[in-house]
Amino acid sequence: MTRFDTSLVWFRRDLRCFDHAALHHALVQSRRVYCTFIFDTDILDALPRADRRVEFIRDSLAELDAQLRKHGGAMIVRHARAETEIPRLAQELGAEAVFTNHDYEPAAIARDAAVERALESAERKFFGFKDQVIFEKKEVLSQAGKPFSVFTPYKNAWLRQLALAPDCIDALPTEPYFNRLARRGEETVPTLAQLGFEKTNLSELNIAGGMQGAAGLLEDFALRVADYADTRDYPAIKGPSYLSLHLRFGTVSIRALLRLAQGALRAGTAGRGAEVWRSELIWRDFYAMILFHHPHVVKSSFKPIYDNILWERGREADAMFAAWCEGRTGYPLVDAAMLQLNRTGYMHNRLRMVTASFLSKDLGIDWRRGEAYFAEKLNDFDLASNNGGWQWASSSGCDAQPWFRIFNPVTQSEKFDPEGKFIKRYLPQLARLDARAIHAPWRAKPLELQAAGIELGRDYPMPVVDHDTARKKTLARYEPVRSPRDDVPAGE
C-alpha cells in the first residue's frame, strides 16, 4: 500500500538498482520515485584531481542511470554539498519523503542528522535502512547487552543471529515496482571534467565499474570459492574475490555475497573456502559495528593506553615514511606491495597486514600516518575496515595482534611469495635473483648479485632498518602497554 505520492531515493555507497533496501522500500510505499546521487563537495574537495574512486563512481552512475532509464526513471546527479542539496531537491520535486541507506561513519551520521532536521522542518519524512552490512548497530550484542570488542564471540553471536533470521539475506525486490520510477527532464551524468577531475589509469587496469562489472567478478569467484582458504594469502595467484571495490560502492549487494557463501556451505561443495570467506564478511560487519559504537577510533586508539606509545618523529622518521610510501625500504615484499598500491590502488590483504606491521613496528611510525596514506590510495578505501586493519596491525585496536607479535617481512615473503613471482612483477630489477635470494637481496653473495646485474644502493636499496634491531626497539617502545602477564616470545 502506498503512503506517499512522491519520494526521493538518495543513493550513496549503493550504486545498483537491484536488491537495494532504500529503493525497495521507496518503490513499495510511493506512487512516484525519483533517484539522486550527490557528488558531495565536502568529500570531493579534499581529494586529488586524479582519483580512481571518483572515476569508478562516475562510470557506475552512468551504468545505473542507463538501467533506470530503461524503466522510466533516471539519476538526478548534483555536484554540491549533500547536506543542503538533498532538502533543496526534495522541495523542488515535491517529495514527501527521502529514502536512503545507513552509513556508519561519524561524519556521515552527522550529515544525515542535519538532512533529517532540514526535511522535518519542511514537514518531509526521512527514512534510513540497513543495506551495506548484514547486522548493524545493536543487532548483535553480548549477553550483557553490550557491543563486542573481540571478534570470535562476535562471530559466534552473529552466526546465531543469522540462524534465527535466515531470511535477512534474501534479495529485496525492486524490479516488480519499476513502473513507479520517475524522471525529470533529460539530465545527464556529468563528465569527470565537469566535476573538476581527470581520467586515471582505471581502464588500463581492466577495472570494470557498475553492476555488470560486479556480476562478472562474482560469477568468476563462485567457481573459485572452494579454494579460497588455500589461496587467499598468496599475492601472486588468483585467490581473493576482488569484489572489495564493488562492495565498497555497493555495485553488488552484501546479501548476494553471503547468499553465495551460504549456498556453497549448504551444498557441501566449497570445503573450508566458503566458511573462511564468510568469516571475512563477518569481519567487515564487526569493524562497522566498532566504528558505530566507538567513533573515537577515527583519531585515537581503541585501547586508550596505546596512545601513550612514543612514535618516531622528526626528519629521519619522515624520510623513513617516504621510503615506505614509495617502495624504497629495501625489503622486497614490502616495496612490491607499496608499488602495487601506488600504481593500481589495490593491495592484497596479506600485504596490507605486512606493510602496516612494517611501518608501525619496524619503522616505529604512528599507524595513523599509514592509515591516512592507505585512505588516499586505496580504491576500496572503507573507513571502518581500514581503521580496524591498521589498529589490528599496530596492536592498538580491538581484538588486535598482540603488541609483541611482529611480522618478519623476510619470512612472510618466503612463506607467501615463495618463488618471488609477486616481487618480480613490481620489482623487475630483482627478477634474475633466485627464489632464495630475492626475499633478502642484501644477504645474497656478491657473485649472485653480480650475475643478476644488481648493485645494492644503485639498482635496489639496502634495508632502511635491520629487522632484528627494530624488533628490540619496538618491544621497548611498547613497554608502556605491557601487562605483567605478557610473555614475550622470541619472535617470528
Side-chain angles (χ1 to χ4, degrees), residues 184-238:
R184 188 180 70 167
E186 290 300 323
E187 300 188 34
T188 58
V189 177
T191 64
L192 276 178
Q194 288 170 332
L195 293 168
F197 283 81
E198 305 167 5
K199 282 191 69 65
T200 69
N201 64 343
L202 197 69
S203 59
E204 298 170 22
L205 296 170
N206 294 318
I207 297 176
M211 297 172 281
Q212 190 170 0
L217 289 174
L218 186 59
E219 183 179 353
D220 175 73
F221 184 63
L223 303 175
R224 299 185 288 108
V225 66
D227 300 321
Y228 180 74
D230 299 320
T231 60
R232 67 184 184 121
D233 280 319
Y234 298 87
I237 62 178
K238 191 176 181 181

Short mmCIF file of all heavy atoms in Angstrom, two decimals, residues 184-238:
data_model
loop_
_atom_site.label_atom_id
_atom_site.label_comp_id
_atom_site.label_asym_id
_atom_site.label_seq_id
_atom_site.Cartn_x
_atom_site.Cartn_y
_atom_site.Cartn_z
N ARG A 184 13.01 13.45 -14.41
CA ARG A 184 12.72 14.86 -14.61
C ARG A 184 13.62 15.39 -15.73
O ARG A 184 14.84 15.46 -15.57
CB ARG A 184 12.98 15.65 -13.33
CG ARG A 184 12.50 17.10 -13.42
CD ARG A 184 12.76 17.84 -12.14
NE ARG A 184 14.19 18.07 -11.94
CZ ARG A 184 14.67 18.92 -11.03
NH1 ARG A 184 13.85 19.57 -10.23
NH2 ARG A 184 15.98 19.10 -10.90
N GLY A 185 13.00 15.72 -16.86
CA GLY A 185 13.78 16.25 -17.97
C GLY A 185 14.74 15.22 -18.53
O GLY A 185 14.56 14.02 -18.40
N GLU A 186 15.79 15.70 -19.14
CA GLU A 186 16.79 14.84 -19.75
C GLU A 186 18.17 15.11 -19.15
O GLU A 186 19.15 15.30 -19.86
CB GLU A 186 16.81 15.03 -21.27
CG GLU A 186 15.57 14.49 -21.97
CD GLU A 186 15.38 12.99 -21.76
OE1 GLU A 186 16.40 12.26 -21.72
OE2 GLU A 186 14.22 12.57 -21.62
N GLU A 187 18.24 15.17 -17.85
CA GLU A 187 19.51 15.41 -17.18
C GLU A 187 20.46 14.24 -17.44
O GLU A 187 20.04 13.09 -17.56
CB GLU A 187 19.29 15.59 -15.69
CG GLU A 187 18.38 16.76 -15.36
CD GLU A 187 18.32 17.03 -13.86
OE1 GLU A 187 19.34 16.83 -13.20
OE2 GLU A 187 17.25 17.44 -13.38
N THR A 188 21.74 14.54 -17.50
CA THR A 188 22.73 13.50 -17.75
C THR A 188 23.75 13.46 -16.62
O THR A 188 23.89 14.42 -15.86
CB THR A 188 23.47 13.76 -19.08
OG1 THR A 188 24.10 15.05 -19.02
CG2 THR A 188 22.50 13.72 -20.25
N VAL A 189 24.47 12.35 -16.53
CA VAL A 189 25.54 12.21 -15.54
C VAL A 189 26.71 13.07 -15.99
O VAL A 189 27.17 12.95 -17.13
CB VAL A 189 25.97 10.74 -15.40
CG1 VAL A 189 27.13 10.61 -14.42
CG2 VAL A 189 24.79 9.88 -14.96
N PRO A 190 27.23 13.95 -15.14
CA PRO A 190 28.32 14.83 -15.56
C PRO A 190 29.58 14.04 -15.89
O PRO A 190 29.81 12.95 -15.39
CB PRO A 190 28.53 15.75 -14.35
CG PRO A 190 27.98 14.99 -13.19
CD PRO A 190 26.83 14.21 -13.74
N THR A 191 30.40 14.63 -16.74
CA THR A 191 31.69 14.02 -17.06
C THR A 191 32.67 14.28 -15.93
O THR A 191 32.43 15.13 -15.06
CB THR A 191 32.26 14.61 -18.36
OG1 THR A 191 32.53 16.01 -18.14
CG2 THR A 191 31.27 14.45 -19.50
N LEU A 192 33.79 13.55 -15.94
CA LEU A 192 34.84 13.80 -14.96
C LEU A 192 35.31 15.25 -15.04
O LEU A 192 35.53 15.91 -14.01
CB LEU A 192 36.02 12.86 -15.20
CG LEU A 192 35.95 11.46 -14.59
CD1 LEU A 192 37.20 10.68 -14.99
CD2 LEU A 192 35.83 11.51 -13.08
N ALA A 193 35.49 15.74 -16.25
CA ALA A 193 35.96 17.11 -16.42
C ALA A 193 34.98 18.10 -15.82
O ALA A 193 35.38 19.10 -15.20
CB ALA A 193 36.18 17.40 -17.91
N GLN A 194 33.69 17.87 -16.00
CA GLN A 194 32.68 18.76 -15.43
C GLN A 194 32.71 18.75 -13.90
O GLN A 194 32.35 19.73 -13.26
CB GLN A 194 31.29 18.37 -15.93
CG GLN A 194 31.07 18.71 -17.40
CD GLN A 194 29.79 18.12 -17.95
OE1 GLN A 194 29.31 17.07 -17.50
NE2 GLN A 194 29.22 18.77 -18.96
N LEU A 195 33.18 17.64 -13.35
CA LEU A 195 33.32 17.55 -11.90
C LEU A 195 34.64 18.11 -11.42
O LEU A 195 34.88 18.21 -10.21
CB LEU A 195 33.21 16.08 -11.46
CG LEU A 195 31.85 15.41 -11.64
CD1 LEU A 195 31.98 13.90 -11.44
CD2 LEU A 195 30.83 15.98 -10.66
N GLY A 196 35.51 18.46 -12.35
CA GLY A 196 36.82 19.00 -11.99
C GLY A 196 37.88 17.93 -11.76
O GLY A 196 38.89 18.19 -11.10
N PHE A 197 37.66 16.72 -12.34
CA PHE A 197 38.60 15.63 -12.15
C PHE A 197 39.17 15.17 -13.49
O PHE A 197 38.61 15.46 -14.55
CB PHE A 197 37.92 14.45 -11.44
CG PHE A 197 37.74 14.67 -9.96
CD1 PHE A 197 36.67 15.42 -9.48
CD2 PHE A 197 38.64 14.14 -9.05
CE1 PHE A 197 36.51 15.65 -8.12
CE2 PHE A 197 38.49 14.35 -7.70
CZ PHE A 197 37.42 15.11 -7.22
N GLU A 198 40.29 14.45 -13.41
CA GLU A 198 40.98 13.95 -14.59
C GLU A 198 40.83 12.44 -14.69
O GLU A 198 40.61 11.76 -13.68
CB GLU A 198 42.47 14.31 -14.50
CG GLU A 198 42.75 15.78 -14.30
CD GLU A 198 44.19 16.03 -13.89
OE1 GLU A 198 44.99 15.05 -13.87
OE2 GLU A 198 44.53 17.18 -13.57
N LYS A 199 40.99 11.93 -15.91
CA LYS A 199 40.95 10.48 -16.09
C LYS A 199 42.18 9.85 -15.44
O LYS A 199 43.25 10.46 -15.37
CB LYS A 199 40.90 10.11 -17.57
CG LYS A 199 39.52 10.27 -18.19
CD LYS A 199 39.47 9.63 -19.57
CE LYS A 199 39.56 8.12 -19.52
NZ LYS A 199 38.39 7.50 -18.84
N THR A 200 42.03 8.62 -14.98
CA THR A 200 43.12 7.87 -14.36
C THR A 200 43.45 6.66 -15.23
O THR A 200 42.99 6.56 -16.37
CB THR A 200 42.71 7.40 -12.95
OG1 THR A 200 41.69 6.40 -13.07
CG2 THR A 200 42.18 8.57 -12.12
N ASN A 201 44.20 5.73 -14.69
CA ASN A 201 44.53 4.51 -15.42
C ASN A 201 43.54 3.38 -15.13
O ASN A 201 43.85 2.21 -15.29
CB ASN A 201 45.94 4.04 -15.09
CG ASN A 201 46.11 3.66 -13.62
OD1 ASN A 201 45.29 4.01 -12.77
ND2 ASN A 201 47.18 2.95 -13.31
N LEU A 202 42.32 3.74 -14.70
CA LEU A 202 41.32 2.74 -14.32
C LEU A 202 41.04 1.76 -15.45
O LEU A 202 41.01 0.53 -15.23
CB LEU A 202 40.02 3.45 -13.91
CG LEU A 202 39.00 2.63 -13.12
CD1 LEU A 202 39.51 2.32 -11.72
CD2 LEU A 202 37.67 3.39 -13.02
N SER A 203 40.86 2.26 -16.67
CA SER A 203 40.56 1.36 -17.79
C SER A 203 41.75 0.49 -18.15
O SER A 203 41.60 -0.67 -18.53
CB SER A 203 40.10 2.17 -19.01
OG SER A 203 41.11 3.08 -19.41
N GLU A 204 42.97 1.04 -18.01
CA GLU A 204 44.17 0.25 -18.30
C GLU A 204 44.32 -0.90 -17.31
O GLU A 204 44.92 -1.94 -17.64
CB GLU A 204 45.41 1.15 -18.21
CG GLU A 204 45.43 2.28 -19.23
CD GLU A 204 46.53 3.27 -18.95
OE1 GLU A 204 47.51 2.89 -18.26
OE2 GLU A 204 46.42 4.43 -19.38
N LEU A 205 43.78 -0.74 -16.12
CA LEU A 205 43.85 -1.79 -15.10
C LEU A 205 42.73 -2.81 -15.26
O LEU A 205 42.63 -3.76 -14.47
CB LEU A 205 43.74 -1.16 -13.70
CG LEU A 205 44.89 -0.21 -13.32
CD1 LEU A 205 44.55 0.53 -12.03
CD2 LEU A 205 46.19 -0.97 -13.17
N ASN A 206 41.89 -2.62 -16.29
CA ASN A 206 40.77 -3.53 -16.56
C ASN A 206 39.82 -3.63 -15.37
O ASN A 206 39.31 -4.71 -15.06
CB ASN A 206 41.28 -4.92 -16.96
CG ASN A 206 42.02 -4.93 -18.28
OD1 ASN A 206 41.59 -4.29 -19.23
ND2 ASN A 206 43.14 -5.63 -18.34
N ILE A 207 39.60 -2.50 -14.71
CA ILE A 207 38.64 -2.45 -13.61
C ILE A 207 37.31 -1.99 -14.18
O ILE A 207 37.14 -0.83 -14.56
CB ILE A 207 39.11 -1.50 -12.50
CG1 ILE A 207 40.41 -2.01 -11.88
CG2 ILE A 207 38.04 -1.34 -11.42
CD1 ILE A 207 41.02 -1.08 -10.84
N ALA A 208 36.38 -2.91 -14.28
CA ALA A 208 35.06 -2.60 -14.82
C ALA A 208 34.14 -2.17 -13.69
O ALA A 208 33.96 -2.89 -12.71
CB ALA A 208 34.48 -3.82 -15.53
N GLY A 209 33.57 -1.00 -13.82
CA GLY A 209 32.69 -0.49 -12.78
C GLY A 209 31.27 -1.01 -12.94
O GLY A 209 30.96 -1.80 -13.83
N GLY A 210 30.42 -0.56 -12.04
CA GLY A 210 29.00 -0.83 -12.15
C GLY A 210 28.57 -2.23 -11.79
O GLY A 210 29.36 -3.10 -11.43
N MET A 211 27.27 -2.44 -11.93
CA MET A 211 26.66 -3.72 -11.59
C MET A 211 27.17 -4.85 -12.47
O MET A 211 27.35 -5.98 -12.01
CB MET A 211 25.14 -3.60 -11.69
CG MET A 211 24.52 -2.61 -10.72
SD MET A 211 22.75 -2.32 -11.03
CE MET A 211 22.83 -1.19 -12.42
N GLN A 212 27.40 -4.53 -13.74
CA GLN A 212 27.87 -5.57 -14.67
C GLN A 212 29.28 -6.02 -14.30
O GLN A 212 29.59 -7.22 -14.33
CB GLN A 212 27.83 -5.04 -16.10
CG GLN A 212 28.08 -6.10 -17.15
CD GLN A 212 27.80 -5.61 -18.56
OE1 GLN A 212 27.43 -4.45 -18.76
NE2 GLN A 212 27.99 -6.47 -19.54
N GLY A 213 30.14 -5.07 -13.93
CA GLY A 213 31.49 -5.43 -13.51
C GLY A 213 31.48 -6.30 -12.27
O GLY A 213 32.22 -7.27 -12.15
N ALA A 214 30.60 -5.94 -11.32
CA ALA A 214 30.48 -6.72 -10.08
C ALA A 214 29.96 -8.12 -10.36
O ALA A 214 30.45 -9.11 -9.80
CB ALA A 214 29.56 -6.01 -9.10
N ALA A 215 28.97 -8.21 -11.23
CA ALA A 215 28.37 -9.51 -11.54
C ALA A 215 29.40 -10.45 -12.17
O ALA A 215 29.43 -11.65 -11.88
CB ALA A 215 27.18 -9.33 -12.48
N GLY A 216 30.27 -9.90 -13.03
CA GLY A 216 31.30 -10.73 -13.65
C GLY A 216 32.28 -11.29 -12.64
O GLY A 216 32.66 -12.46 -12.69
N LEU A 217 32.69 -10.43 -11.69
CA LEU A 217 33.62 -10.89 -10.65
C LEU A 217 32.97 -11.92 -9.73
O LEU A 217 33.62 -12.89 -9.32
CB LEU A 217 34.11 -9.70 -9.84
CG LEU A 217 35.07 -8.74 -10.56
CD1 LEU A 217 35.35 -7.53 -9.68
CD2 LEU A 217 36.38 -9.45 -10.92
N LEU A 218 31.71 -11.70 -9.40
CA LEU A 218 31.01 -12.63 -8.51
C LEU A 218 30.85 -13.99 -9.18
O LEU A 218 31.04 -15.04 -8.55
CB LEU A 218 29.65 -12.06 -8.12
CG LEU A 218 28.85 -12.84 -7.07
CD1 LEU A 218 29.64 -12.98 -5.78
CD2 LEU A 218 27.50 -12.17 -6.81
N GLU A 219 30.52 -13.97 -10.46
CA GLU A 219 30.38 -15.23 -11.20
C GLU A 219 31.70 -15.98 -11.26
O GLU A 219 31.75 -17.21 -11.09
CB GLU A 219 29.87 -14.93 -12.62
CG GLU A 219 29.62 -16.16 -13.47
CD GLU A 219 29.09 -15.82 -14.85
OE1 GLU A 219 28.79 -14.63 -15.11
OE2 GLU A 219 28.98 -16.73 -15.69
N ASP A 220 32.78 -15.23 -11.47
CA ASP A 220 34.10 -15.86 -11.53
C ASP A 220 34.50 -16.43 -10.18
O ASP A 220 35.01 -17.55 -10.09
CB ASP A 220 35.13 -14.82 -11.98
CG ASP A 220 36.55 -15.37 -11.95
OD1 ASP A 220 36.89 -16.19 -12.82
OD2 ASP A 220 37.32 -14.99 -11.04
N PHE A 221 34.24 -15.67 -9.11
CA PHE A 221 34.65 -16.13 -7.78
C PHE A 221 33.84 -17.35 -7.34
O PHE A 221 34.35 -18.19 -6.59
CB PHE A 221 34.51 -15.01 -6.75
CG PHE A 221 34.99 -15.39 -5.38
CD1 PHE A 221 36.32 -15.73 -5.16
CD2 PHE A 221 34.12 -15.43 -4.30
CE1 PHE A 221 36.77 -16.09 -3.90
CE2 PHE A 221 34.56 -15.78 -3.04
CZ PHE A 221 35.88 -16.12 -2.84
N ALA A 222 32.60 -17.45 -7.78
CA ALA A 222 31.77 -18.61 -7.42
C ALA A 222 32.44 -19.90 -7.87
O ALA A 222 32.26 -20.96 -7.24
CB ALA A 222 30.39 -18.48 -8.06
N LEU A 223 33.25 -19.83 -8.91
CA LEU A 223 33.96 -21.02 -9.41
C LEU A 223 35.22 -21.30 -8.61
O LEU A 223 35.79 -22.39 -8.71
CB LEU A 223 34.33 -20.83 -10.89
CG LEU A 223 33.17 -20.53 -11.85
CD1 LEU A 223 33.71 -20.24 -13.25
CD2 LEU A 223 32.19 -21.70 -11.87
N ARG A 224 35.67 -20.30 -7.80
CA ARG A 224 36.94 -20.44 -7.08
C ARG A 224 36.78 -20.44 -5.56
O ARG A 224 37.76 -20.61 -4.84
CB ARG A 224 37.86 -19.27 -7.45
CG ARG A 224 38.22 -19.19 -8.91
CD ARG A 224 39.24 -18.09 -9.18
NE ARG A 224 38.68 -16.74 -9.06
CZ ARG A 224 38.92 -15.89 -8.10
NH1 ARG A 224 39.73 -16.23 -7.09
NH2 ARG A 224 38.38 -14.69 -8.09
N VAL A 225 35.55 -20.23 -5.07
CA VAL A 225 35.36 -20.05 -3.63
C VAL A 225 35.83 -21.27 -2.85
O VAL A 225 36.30 -21.14 -1.70
CB VAL A 225 33.89 -19.71 -3.31
CG1 VAL A 225 32.96 -20.88 -3.64
CG2 VAL A 225 33.74 -19.28 -1.85
N ALA A 226 35.74 -22.46 -3.43
CA ALA A 226 36.17 -23.67 -2.72
C ALA A 226 37.66 -23.63 -2.39
O ALA A 226 38.10 -24.24 -1.40
CB ALA A 226 35.85 -24.91 -3.56
N ASP A 227 38.44 -22.90 -3.18
CA ASP A 227 39.89 -22.84 -2.97
C ASP A 227 40.31 -21.64 -2.13
O ASP A 227 41.51 -21.46 -1.88
CB ASP A 227 40.60 -22.76 -4.33
CG ASP A 227 40.30 -23.95 -5.21
OD1 ASP A 227 40.23 -25.08 -4.68
OD2 ASP A 227 40.13 -23.77 -6.43
N TYR A 228 39.36 -20.81 -1.72
CA TYR A 228 39.69 -19.54 -1.08
C TYR A 228 40.57 -19.70 0.16
O TYR A 228 41.55 -18.96 0.34
CB TYR A 228 38.39 -18.81 -0.70
CG TYR A 228 38.61 -17.49 -0.03
CD1 TYR A 228 39.03 -16.38 -0.75
CD2 TYR A 228 38.40 -17.34 1.34
CE1 TYR A 228 39.23 -15.16 -0.13
CE2 TYR A 228 38.60 -16.13 1.97
CZ TYR A 228 39.00 -15.04 1.23
OH TYR A 228 39.21 -13.82 1.84
N ALA A 229 40.27 -20.66 1.01
CA ALA A 229 41.05 -20.85 2.24
C ALA A 229 42.50 -21.17 1.95
O ALA A 229 43.40 -20.80 2.72
CB ALA A 229 40.42 -21.95 3.10
N ASP A 230 42.75 -21.84 0.82
CA ASP A 230 44.12 -22.26 0.49
C ASP A 230 44.88 -21.23 -0.34
O ASP A 230 46.11 -21.28 -0.41
CB ASP A 230 44.08 -23.59 -0.27
CG ASP A 230 43.44 -24.70 0.55
OD1 ASP A 230 43.71 -24.77 1.76
OD2 ASP A 230 42.67 -25.50 -0.03
N THR A 231 44.17 -20.32 -0.98
CA THR A 231 44.83 -19.41 -1.94
C THR A 231 44.81 -17.95 -1.51
O THR A 231 45.56 -17.14 -2.08
CB THR A 231 44.14 -19.51 -3.32
OG1 THR A 231 42.76 -19.15 -3.18
CG2 THR A 231 44.24 -20.93 -3.87
N ARG A 232 44.02 -17.58 -0.55
CA ARG A 232 43.78 -16.16 -0.26
C ARG A 232 45.01 -15.41 0.24
O ARG A 232 45.08 -14.20 0.13
CB ARG A 232 42.66 -16.01 0.78
CG ARG A 232 43.04 -16.54 2.16
CD ARG A 232 41.86 -16.45 3.12
NE ARG A 232 42.24 -16.87 4.46
CZ ARG A 232 42.14 -16.10 5.53
NH1 ARG A 232 41.70 -14.87 5.42
NH2 ARG A 232 42.49 -16.57 6.72
N ASP A 233 46.00 -16.11 0.80
CA ASP A 233 47.16 -15.43 1.39
C ASP A 233 48.33 -15.26 0.42
O ASP A 233 49.35 -14.68 0.81
CB ASP A 233 47.65 -16.22 2.61
CG ASP A 233 46.81 -15.94 3.84
OD1 ASP A 233 46.45 -14.77 4.06
OD2 ASP A 233 46.51 -16.89 4.58
N TYR A 234 48.18 -15.70 -0.81
CA TYR A 234 49.31 -15.70 -1.74
C TYR A 234 49.09 -14.65 -2.83
O TYR A 234 48.27 -14.85 -3.74
CB TYR A 234 49.49 -17.10 -2.35
CG TYR A 234 49.80 -18.13 -1.30
CD1 TYR A 234 48.79 -18.79 -0.62
CD2 TYR A 234 51.12 -18.44 -0.97
CE1 TYR A 234 49.07 -19.73 0.37
CE2 TYR A 234 51.42 -19.37 0.01
CZ TYR A 234 50.39 -20.01 0.68
OH TYR A 234 50.67 -20.93 1.66
N PRO A 235 49.81 -13.55 -2.78
CA PRO A 235 49.52 -12.43 -3.70
C PRO A 235 49.83 -12.70 -5.16
O PRO A 235 49.36 -11.97 -6.03
CB PRO A 235 50.40 -11.30 -3.15
CG PRO A 235 51.51 -11.98 -2.42
CD PRO A 235 50.89 -13.21 -1.83
N ALA A 236 50.62 -13.73 -5.46
CA ALA A 236 50.98 -14.00 -6.85
C ALA A 236 49.96 -14.84 -7.58
O ALA A 236 50.07 -15.05 -8.79
CB ALA A 236 52.35 -14.67 -6.92
N ILE A 237 48.95 -15.35 -6.85
CA ILE A 237 47.95 -16.20 -7.51
C ILE A 237 46.56 -15.61 -7.33
O ILE A 237 46.33 -14.74 -6.48
CB ILE A 237 47.99 -17.65 -6.96
CG1 ILE A 237 47.66 -17.69 -5.47
CG2 ILE A 237 49.35 -18.28 -7.22
CD1 ILE A 237 47.66 -19.10 -4.92
N LYS A 238 45.64 -16.09 -8.13
CA LYS A 238 44.26 -15.56 -8.14
C LYS A 238 43.47 -16.22 -7.02
O LYS A 238 42.81 -17.23 -7.22
CB LYS A 238 43.63 -15.85 -9.50
CG LYS A 238 42.32 -15.13 -9.74
CD LYS A 238 41.83 -15.41 -11.16
CE LYS A 238 40.53 -14.69 -11.44
NZ LYS A 238 40.04 -14.98 -12.82
#
